[in-house]
Amino acid sequence: MVEIVWLKKDLRVADHEALWRAAGTGNGVVVVFVYEREVMEAGDFSGRHFLFQEECLREVDEELRKLGGELVTRVGVVEEVFEGLRGELGEVRLWSHEETGNGVTYARDLRVKAWAEEREVDWVECLQTGVVRRLEERDGWSGRWAKRMGREVLGLPEGVRFVEVKGEGILEKERFGIE
């Protein structure tokens, strides 16, 4: 089995729970970022967002290279990209953070969840923020928030077994017509 770590908005290597947990399985790991047109075309995305994202991706790639791997980027619809990776890698498990985003990313995550369930791919979403989803009542919310925010800060993962996969490299905004 190969562990796919899907980077969405949590563009870092240190203190990245999904990467830590994937590496801890002892299986091969692929760290993937998908350039999604639907996200880039949303009304709340701009060239400044892209430039910040590009800078973060370069730092992630640099850190991964120090650990013996590299960032794999693809362009497309996320579930189609994962289906392609599944074809290349065989049995996979998907790791990411639980994203708090907009309607576009929420709908995308619902599609990814359906894709994973249909193919019996385990998708593990790790906590990233103090946001507590799916509460039936508000009582006790602050205690849950404090527990989440008080978790240990993780450094860089050790002993990651990277799997080599061809990516598209870190792309520039001009490729997508972003100003």
Side-chain angles (χ1 to χ4, degrees):
M1 175 177 295
V2 175
E3 312 293 339
I4 297 175
V5 178
W6 174 24
L7 300 183
K8 297 192 265 183
K9 290 183 180 177
D10 193 352
L11 300 177
R12 58 190 167 148
V13 175
D15 197 32
H16 195 287
E17 183 181 356
L19 178 56
W20 263 84
R21 291 181 60 193
T25 66
N27 295 329
V29 173
V30 175
V31 181
V32 177
F33 177 82
V34 181
Y35 290 94
E36 304 170 74
R37 288 196 184 276
E38 68 179 337
V39 170
M40 291 184 279
E41 292 171 357
D44 61 352
F45 192 88
S46 72
R48 284 180 282 179
H49 292 104
F50 192 96
L51 290 175
F52 179 72
Q53 173 182 280
E54 179 184 359
E55 181 180 331
C56 292
L57 292 173
R58 290 189 190 288
E59 289 177 10
V60 164
D61 188 51
E62 182 179 318
E63 289 298 316
L64 290 174
R65 287 178 187 276
K66 290 176 187 175
L67 296 174
E70 66 182 300
L71 178 63
V72 175
T73 65
R74 298 278 172 98
V75 177
V77 176
V78 174
E79 55 272 31
E80 292 173 5
V81 168
F82 291 154
E83 188 63 24
L85 285 168
R86 203 169 142 249
E88 292 173 46
L89 302 169
E91 186 180 2
V92 298
R93 179 173 21 227
L94 181 60
W95 297 84
S96 71
H97 70 276
E98 183 182 75
E99 183 176 4
T100 303
N102 59 23
V104 172
T105 59
Y106 179 70
R108 182 260 338 264
D109 283 358
L110 290 176
R111 290 193 319 269
V112 170
K113 180 179 179 184
W115 170 86
E117 288 174 352
E118 288 171 8
R119 287 151 183 83
E120 297 181 349
V121 171
D122 189 21
W123 179 19
V124 181
E125 290 184 281
C126 299
L127 302 177
Q128 180 207 26
T129 67
V131 174
V132 181
R133 290 183 171 176
R134 297 175 284 283
L135 288 177
E136 293 185 21
E137 59 181 43
R138 289 182 160 194
D139 291 345
W141 174 86
S142 62
R144 289 186 196 113
W145 179 88
K147 184 176 178 182
R148 284 182 175 204
M149 298 311 291
R151 291 180 304 146
E152 174 187 0
V153 174
L154 304 169
L156 292 171
E158 297 177 3
V160 185
R161 291 185 49 236
F162 290 100
V163 174
E164 192 172 320
V165 174
K166 181 107 172 98
E168 297 199 39
I170 297 172
L171 305 176
E172 297 184 359
K173 63 183 180 159
E174 291 75 19
R175 169 154 178 190
F176 302 101
I178 296 173
E179 295 182 22

